[in-house]
Amino acid sequence: MGRLSVFIWFFVCGIPLLAQTTISGQFDLESISVLDARVYLSQIKLEDFPDLSGEATVASTSFDENGHFSFEALQIAKKDAIYRIYVNQFEGALNKVVQADRLFILSRNDRIRFKKSGKPFEVYNNTNDADVEWQRLRKYESALRGFELRTEDSLALAYMGKVKDYAKDSLQILMVKLIGIKQLDQKQLLEKDIVQNPDYYLSLLNQLRQSDLDRSDYLFLENKLAFLTTDMAEEKFRTSTMVNMVLGFSLVVLLIVLFSIRNKRRPLPFATLSNQEQTIQQLILEGKSNKEIAKELFISLSTVKTHITHIYNKLQVSNRRELLQKTRN
């Protein structure tokens, strides 16, 4: 009986929860000319933002004679998602049908209320924190568009720098950061910014992988980082190879120089002297003159001089003093 009571309590309490209103609002019917009395709601996957190529209608509802409309909670996803609410209206000045719309972020636990205003969906309150942050980002981007005197290139650089810095410093919700990055990508500014700030984007990708966002939402960023970081790795490898070649060449040159210096400092070995030359060398070292050497060895003076010339050439000296010094060393 107790279990049955608990079940009945949850069932009764759950009925209003399932039927509660998540989106509501009111039109100023005097200010707009609608083609049909219906409001349409579509969901946009983050991976398809901002071109809206994968937009899918999830619900539609009618509004009453006072312009009131609403959508129930069950028509909204449990997690944060991007929605577009719109109504078809006729623009007399343009003589054609246009859609008055609004993009916003919402989950089943949030409430969004569109206030009555001259333009449909222009003013609203949303309890979703991500949408509140996204509104701030859109206001910041709108302020940047005021630089009418800037050239296209300088405006693009200003946009890239300011929006990236704003997303980095002011945005706390990953989904909104990702929306800002996708807008950079649409303006073909993302790859350049990744090259200039690879560490920031690698850190952001790591945060995205640890979040509850679907991988398909940030797969575009993952692919760009894989491509560009591969390029950077190859560039680092080429630079490293070049540095290693220069260092290797410098080392070879240094070794050659050191070897040359060492050889210059190394004393030359004595050339091989004949027995007679060795005898004459010894007599010279004993201080004997050419005549004394000739008399002692029973050879002519010219023969002594010839032997001495050969000794000097072989030992690379030019006189008796140098011969004496080199012999002592």
Side-chain angles (χ1 to χ4, degrees):
M1 185 66 181
R3 292 182 179 178
L4 180 59
S5 300
V6 172
F7 175 78
I8 295 174
W9 184 84
F10 275 109
F11 180 77
V12 172
C13 293
I15 291 177
L17 177 63
L18 296 177
Q20 67 186 2
T21 298
T22 299
I23 303 174
S24 61
Q26 183 180 12
F27 294 127
D28 183 0
L29 296 180
E30 296 180 357
S31 302
I32 64 173
S33 177
V34 294
L35 295 181
D36 57 273
R38 298 199 68 80
V39 182
Y40 300 90
L41 182 69
S42 60
Q43 184 176 346
I44 302 161
K45 293 182 179 179
L46 188 54
E47 60 187 283
D48 297 323
F49 186 83
D51 59 11
L52 313 185
S53 60
E55 180 180 12
T57 301
V58 295
S60 67
T61 186
S62 59
F63 54 86
D64 60 23
E65 66 277 4
N66 295 317
H68 291 98
F69 64 89
S70 64
F71 290 91
E72 305 302 328
L74 284 178
Q75 296 169 310
I76 308 300
K78 292 182 179 179
K79 296 196 305 181
D80 283 354
I82 301 174
Y83 292 93
R84 184 170 82 97
I85 189 170
Y86 62 93
V87 64
N88 297 315
Q89 64 176 358
F90 181 77
E91 286 285 352
L94 301 176
N95 195 28
K96 65 177 183 179
V97 177
V98 297
Q99 289 183 346
D101 65 348
R102 169 67 65 176
L103 291 169
F104 57 90
I105 299 174
L106 197 69
S107 73
R108 186 175 297 176
N109 295 323
D110 299 309
R111 303 290 177 272
I112 183 170
R113 169 70 181 174
F114 293 95
K115 298 180 180 180
K116 184 177 180 180
S117 60
K119 184 178 179 181
F121 316 117
E122 185 175 26
V123 181
Y124 71 94
N125 291 324
N126 192 348
T127 61
N128 185 280
D129 292 336
D131 188 71
V132 172
E133 194 165 88
W134 191 17
Q135 288 184 62
R136 292 203 303 268
L137 176 60
R138 282 182 289 189
K139 288 180 180 178
Y140 187 80
E141 290 174 322
S142 297
L144 289 180
R145 296 190 186 101
F147 298 117
E148 297 178 356
L149 298 179
R150 291 179 179 268
T151 63
E152 283 297 319
D153 289 341
S154 62
L155 177 59
L157 291 174
Y159 181 90
M160 179 180 70
K162 290 181 180 297
V163 171
K164 188 269 295 180
D165 291 341
Y166 183 86
K168 179 180 177 182
D169 300 332
S170 301
L171 300 181
Q172 304 299 322
I173 299 176
L174 288 176
M175 185 177 185
V176 185
K177 283 190 176 185
L178 207 52
I179 288 174
I181 290 172
K182 289 186 74 69
Q183 291 175 177
L184 281 179
D185 190 30
Q186 185 190 39
K187 298 178 185 296
Q188 298 181 344
L189 299 172
L190 179 58
E191 291 186 2
K192 183 176 181 180
D193 199 42
I194 288 176
V195 172
Q196 294 178 355
N197 305 279
D199 293 339
Y200 167 71
Y201 285 100
L202 289 173
S203 174
L204 177 60
L205 180 60
N206 186 52
Q207 295 178 50
L208 290 168
R209 286 171 174 169
Q210 296 176 11
S211 71
D212 60 352
L213 290 174
D214 294 335
R215 185 167 179 259
S216 59
D217 293 339
Y218 56 84
L219 185 60
F220 79 100
L221 180 61
E222 196 172 60
N223 290 337
K224 287 184 180 294
L225 285 173
F227 174 74
L228 291 173
T229 50
T230 298
D231 280 355
M232 287 187 289
E234 291 177 353
E235 180 64 27
K236 287 182 179 180
F237 176 76
R238 288 192 292 268
T239 303
S240 177
T241 301
M242 183 63 68
V243 170
N244 289 336
M245 290 178 61
V246 172
L247 290 176
F249 178 77
S250 301
L251 181 59
V252 171
V253 172
L254 180 61
L255 290 175
I256 292 174
V257 171
L258 291 175
F259 183 76
S260 176
I261 293 175
R262 183 179 179 185
N263 283 343
K264 287 182 179 180
R265 291 180 176 178
R266 181 184 298 170
L268 295 173
F270 284 104
T272 303
L273 302 178
S274 66
N275 291 334
Q276 186 73 322
E277 290 170 347
Q278 290 180 15
T279 301
I280 293 174
Q281 179 192 17
Q282 183 60 39
L283 293 173
I284 291 173
L285 294 176
E286 291 176 0
K288 294 187 178 182
S289 65
N290 292 351
K291 288 183 179 181
E292 291 173 335
I293 294 173
K295 183 178 180 181
E296 183 170 336
L297 298 180
F298 303 101
I299 57 177
S300 66
L301 183 60
S302 61
T303 300
V304 172
K305 291 180 179 180
T306 300
H307 282 307
I308 290 175
T309 300
H310 290 165
I311 292 171
Y312 286 175
N313 289 336
K314 288 182 178 181
L315 300 183
Q316 297 182 356
V317 296
S318 57
N319 51 53
R320 289 172 179 253
R321 182 179 59 80
E322 290 182 4
L323 176 62
L324 178 62
Q325 183 178 5
K326 189 164 188 176
T327 303
R328 288 177 178 175
N329 291 337

